[in-house]
Amino acid sequence: MNIPYTHESIRLTGRWDRGVDCATATATGSYIEFAFRGRMAVAKFNIVSNAQPRLHLWIQIDGGDMIEANIDSHIRVMAKNDGDHVCRIIYKGGTELDRRWYQPLTGKVSFVGVQTECPIEIAPDTRKTIEFVGDSITEGVLIDTDFNNGGEVLSTAVFDVMRCYQDDVCATYAWQTAEALGLRPIFMGYGAVGVTRA
């Protein structure tokens, strides 16, 4: 069964433009949660205008370990066993200079909905909300140097490909503070491409 992003089994957190066919976020840290019964579900995205290399997501089932993945038109998630599950997909990071303010948006998550045999109503999130407004530090730009060849200067071509791995909103003090305090984070961080830039 295909269900739209507006279904009661789905919750969006962050800054989302809720359109007719999909919900679109350009701020890292925005995330999707959906609840389903069974073992498997498929999250569906519109990636027609997304730039290469594609932005990265964190995917988590039932609050467990997070797996990093490139955004794609269909992302299949599978739980270890039957039962009720909640999947969370976080906009982890991407190439900072992708277009997130001006059309066509090339650095965005456009979430269409979920395909699953048995969607279930998602439990309410009763945590208080905290909002972080900032720039590249807030969205975790270049926070992970493990993919920067140990600090060695990389060629421009290699650096551009590796950027998706180096940016991680979940590794920032902002995200970690919200997690430690049990708060629901919302982010507004656009490094080098915000409204004050040409």
Side-chain angles (χ1 to χ4, degrees), residues 29-105:
S30 299
Y31 62 89
I32 302 150
E33 294 169 289
F34 59 88
F36 65 99
R37 179 170 292 135
R39 291 192 66 192
M40 187 174 59
V42 179
K44 299 167 81 173
F45 299 89
N46 179 338
I47 60 166
V48 171
S49 65
N50 281 80
Q52 295 282 356
R54 291 198 181 130
L55 61 89
H56 282 207
L57 307 168
W58 282 121
I59 301 173
Q60 181 181 44
I61 296 180
D62 299 331
D65 296 338
M66 297 194 306
I67 304 298
E68 183 174 2
N70 295 341
I71 193 169
D72 210 336
S73 60
H74 295 74
I75 297 178
R76 185 185 312 269
V77 296
M78 184 175 286
K80 287 185 177 180
N81 43 41
D82 287 328
D84 293 354
H85 303 286
V86 175
C87 178
R88 180 167 71 159
I89 301 176
I90 304 166
Y91 182 175
K92 173 191 177 280
T95 303
E96 182 179 24
L97 298 178
D98 281 347
R99 295 171 67 108
R100 296 183 289 163
W101 285 91
Y102 308 110
Q103 297 290 340
L105 300 174

Side-chain angles (χ1 to χ4, degrees), residues 70-157:
N70 295 341
I71 193 169
D72 210 336
S73 60
H74 295 74
I75 297 178
R76 185 185 312 269
V77 296
M78 184 175 286
K80 287 185 177 180
N81 43 41
D82 287 328
D84 293 354
H85 303 286
V86 175
C87 178
R88 180 167 71 159
I89 301 176
I90 304 166
Y91 182 175
K92 173 191 177 280
T95 303
E96 182 179 24
L97 298 178
D98 281 347
R99 295 171 67 108
R100 296 183 289 163
W101 285 91
Y102 308 110
Q103 297 290 340
L105 300 174
T106 59
K108 47 90 178 162
V109 173
S110 289
F111 177 60
V112 175
V114 176
Q115 180 180 345
T116 183
E117 289 183 10
C118 187
I120 58 174
E121 186 175 353
I122 194 163
D125 188 342
T126 59
R127 297 175 296 165
K128 291 185 177 179
T129 300
I130 185 168
E131 185 165 11
F132 297 96
V133 179
D135 53 19
S136 56
I137 293 171
T138 309
E139 64 176 349
V141 170
L142 297 176
I143 201 166
D144 191 346
T145 57
D146 289 346
F147 290 98
N148 194 19
N149 211 18
E152 183 180 320
V153 176
L154 301 173
S155 71
T156 301

Side-chain angles (χ1 to χ4, degrees), residues 53 56 95 156-166:
H56 282 207
T95 303
T156 301
V158 172
F159 179 76
D160 288 347
V161 170
M162 299 309 286
R163 280 300 302 277
C164 295
Y165 294 96
Q166 295 179 51

Side-chain angles (χ1 to χ4, degrees), residues 5-48:
Y5 78 88
T6 53
H7 192 268
E8 64 183 9
S9 64
I10 297 171
R11 177 174 44 243
L12 304 177
T13 296
R15 296 179 173 272
W16 292 88
D17 177 25
R18 290 165 165 83
V20 175
D21 298 325
C22 63
T24 299
T26 60
T28 61
S30 299
Y31 62 89
I32 302 150
E33 294 169 289
F34 59 88
F36 65 99
R37 179 170 292 135
R39 291 192 66 192
M40 187 174 59
V42 179
K44 299 167 81 173
F45 299 89
N46 179 338
I47 60 166
V48 171

